[in-house]
Amino acid sequence: MINGLCKKGKTEEANELLELMSQRGLQPNVVTFSTVINGFCKKGKMQEANGLLELMSQRGLEPNMVTFTTMINWLCEEGKTEEANGLLKLMSQRGLQPNVVTFNTMKSGLCNEGKMEGKVEEANGLLELMSQRGFQPNLVTFNPMISGFAKRGRLRKLMG
């Protein structure tokens, strides 16, 4: 039911149902929380999504890869790459290693951000970190970098 409400954009109602579950002694799991977090993110309500992330921790539930990658994606969509990078670090602190989707999401956000100064180095740093962790860069890895820098006439800087 919560998933259906979120798909229809009724995130507030889904959140109320989440609270009702708790009031009735039912413990929502990581998937349930992640679903509502994604719903809030889709609506640009990052503060509410962050609140649910904190509530999960208070209840002893650890966000999983999907939870973190979802939030990183939406933060990058909003151009908040510094906050997204903070979540990337939080993941590692909690013992979750970013996967190729997480890395590609973060790189895409960096490369599409309005101001490019310093972002080449950050994106290249992510590429290096991916390689260190055993992930093989692919077309999905490089396309956002090439596109983002080409749009701004900065392709030479990326290649140099």
Side-chain angles (χ1 to χ4, degrees):
M1 187 174 255
I2 286 175
N3 188 37
L5 288 168
C6 287
K7 283 183 178 181
K8 293 202 178 267
K10 298 181 178 186
T11 311
E12 289 77 15
E13 290 92 334
N15 193 40
E16 289 172 12
L17 192 54
L18 187 72
E19 290 175 24
L20 182 62
M21 285 176 68
S22 297
Q23 290 170 3
R24 296 208 173 155
L26 299 170
Q27 177 69 318
N29 63 20
V30 175
V31 174
T32 309
F33 271 102
S34 295
T35 300
V36 181
I37 286 171
N38 186 48
F40 277 131
C41 289
K42 279 184 181 178
K43 293 182 102 177
K45 295 184 175 189
M46 295 307 296
Q47 189 171 358
E48 288 86 344
N50 278 323
L52 283 179
L53 191 66
E54 288 177 26
L55 183 60
M56 284 178 73
S57 293
Q58 290 170 3
R59 292 189 179 175
L61 290 172
E62 287 297 320
N64 63 17
M65 186 69 62
V66 173
T67 311
F68 277 112
T69 303
T70 296
M71 290 192 67
I72 288 169
N73 177 61
W74 290 106
L75 285 167
C76 286
E77 289 281 327
E78 291 186 4
K80 297 177 180 179
T81 56
E82 294 300 319
E83 287 179 49
N85 198 33
L87 280 179
L88 194 64
K89 289 176 184 173
L90 181 62
M91 281 178 71
S92 294
Q93 290 170 356
R94 292 190 174 180
L96 284 174
Q97 296 306 315
N99 63 20
V100 72
V101 175
T102 310
F103 279 120
N104 285 343
T105 298
M106 189 69 208
K107 266 190 342 37
S108 182
L110 287 169
C111 295
N112 289 321
E113 195 171 17
K115 53 186 189 297
M116 297 305 292
E117 302 314 314
K119 300 305 174 186
V120 174
E121 291 78 17
E122 273 188 71
N124 282 333
L126 282 174
L127 275 176
E128 188 175 318
L129 188 58
M130 282 179 73
S131 294
Q132 289 172 358
R133 300 240 172 108
F135 295 113
Q136 202 63 34
N138 58 27
L139 189 59
V140 175
T141 306
F142 287 107
N143 267 351
M145 291 177 74
I146 294 168
S147 176
F149 287 97
K151 283 180 193 173
R152 291 167 185 81
R154 306 296 289 259
L155 201 50
R156 278 200 173 137
K157 186 168 183 167
L158 176 65
M159 302 311 238

